[in-house]
Amino acid sequence: MKIFKIIYYLFIKYYLYVLRQKILNFKKIDKKKNTRIIKNLNKHGYYIIENYINHKNCELIKKKIKKYINNNPKNIIIDKHKSDFRIHGAEFIYSKIKKYSYSNFLKSIGENYSGNRLVNLMTMANMTKFTDGNKGSGSGWHRDGLNFQFKSILYLSDVNLSNGPFEIIENSKDRREIIKFSIDNNINPIETRFSNYLIQKKIKNKKFKLKTLIGRKGTLILVDTSCIHRGRPVKSGIRYAITNYYYPKNLKKKYETQFPKLLKKKII
Ligand SMILES: O=C(O)CCC(=O)C(=O)O
């Protein structure tokens, strides 16, 4: 039974999706542009740019997010452990976030990587802090989906091993790896959430290569989030970050509905 699911979801459905995107949402790839970044996204699933913005701007943005969270509790999405506080549509709360949100440079990397026209559906700002049992930003190990997914995460705090660094299983978007993982562990191929026990076992057995991305404030992570990833559970301290969510331009409406409390109007 599983083999049919694998064939259907990982091949038939996937290639139909790719074909539809090629026909309806094609973007010509400029092979000479950002080659190092694209190469790393293809090979490892991520790329890091240090000092994407300066420390002063990080502090200004952080202050704005903190203030917004305190003053607008109704617009904040909070996880069940009360550790991850999110603003969906944070580009509307501050011009400096808007600048990041509408960056042509970042969007063009995603477009060159995917060969699709993309749109940044929103910028999500979040603050994660220690609480008992917290699972970190994104609530544990997961893929955002089986199809291409692209995000940029900008750290606004210095991020160390304790305050919730982004973690990724290198190249876990590879379809052969997905099939192997699904068969070896008797997992439904379309499953996107995984237990920490299973992932740690795979890392220990060297079946998975873990990358923990610590970095100073201003560090930018470009990532294909169809790879398995998480924000590491917070042991101490606080992490602020802003994340752009890129989707194929023709599917914007479909995905928009997935984000509760999405801010849609200018309030700056
Ligand atoms: O912020 C992070 O470190 C990861 C967040 C994440 O995985 C998600 O929101 O899906």
Side-chain angles (χ1 to χ4, degrees), residues 86 137-138 142 144 151 153 166 229-231 239 245:
R86 296 185 167 208
S137 179
H142 65 284
D144 288 349
K151 281 181 179 169
I153 303 172
F166 181 77
H229 65 282
R230 71 172 181 178
R239 189 197 90 176
Y245 285 55

Side-chain angles (χ1 to χ4, degrees), residues 226-253:
S226 63
C227 288
I228 299 173
H229 65 282
R230 71 172 181 178
R232 188 171 172 148
V234 182
K235 279 199 203 129
S236 63
I238 290 178
R239 189 197 90 176
Y240 282 86
I242 44 179
T243 301
N244 287 345
Y245 285 55
Y246 295 94
Y247 287 98
K249 203 169 178 183
N250 60 332
L251 300 178
K252 183 175 184 238
K253 286 236 149 29

Side-chain angles (χ1 to χ4, degrees), residues 23-34:
I23 296 167
L24 301 173
N25 198 36
F26 177 71
K27 175 88 187 180
K28 195 168 179 295
I29 295 175
D30 182 350
K31 288 218 168 87
K32 290 201 196 95
K33 233 169 135 188
N34 306 313

